[in-house]
Amino acid sequence: QTVNYIFDQMNELYKGDVATCEASIKIKQLEDILQSQVPNCDYQFLQYIAQTYTQDECFVLNINKHRKDGLNVYIANAIEEYVNA
């Protein structure tokens, strides 16, 4: 699986509640992918990623490209929900 695959999956869940089991599973899969690339990926790193997904214009454009507008915010919120659950 790739990060873009997870984004596509999250696109299918978009507009749903970020506190769902399905969203949590996708964020766990995202975490696993990130941990394979960044061994010290922890909850603090995930929160940084969530912030990046909403504040870095390159990430915003990449995540939302050919997907629902605002998906980046949905994913960031799902990450926050996952970290704080």
Side-chain angles (χ1 to χ4, degrees):
Q1 292 182 349
T2 65
V3 172
N4 275 318
Y5 174 79
I6 300 300
F7 292 165
D8 289 340
Q9 296 291 302
M10 291 297 287
N11 195 50
E12 298 300 317
L13 299 173
Y14 185 52
K15 293 298 184 196
D17 185 358
V18 294
T20 64
C21 183
E22 292 88 355
S24 180
I25 289 169
K26 296 303 171 196
I27 297 304
K28 172 62 177 139
Q29 291 172 342
L30 176 64
E31 178 184 30
D32 291 345
I33 292 168
L34 292 172
Q35 283 179 334
S36 73
Q37 299 170 352
V38 183
N40 63 342
C41 175
D42 57 9
Y43 280 177
Q44 184 177 1
F45 183 81
L46 286 176
Q47 288 176 311
Y48 172 75
I49 289 294
Q51 190 175 38
T52 302
Y53 285 177
T54 59
Q55 296 179 0
D56 185 306
E57 194 62 31
C58 290
F59 278 92
V60 172
L61 292 173
N62 182 51
I63 293 169
N64 295 335
K65 185 177 183 179
H66 305 301
R67 299 183 185 105
K68 296 174 184 166
D69 191 43
L71 180 65
N72 65 307
V73 174
Y74 177 77
I75 294 172
N77 290 341
I79 291 170
E80 288 295 332
E81 179 66 30
Y82 175 82
V83 167
N84 293 312

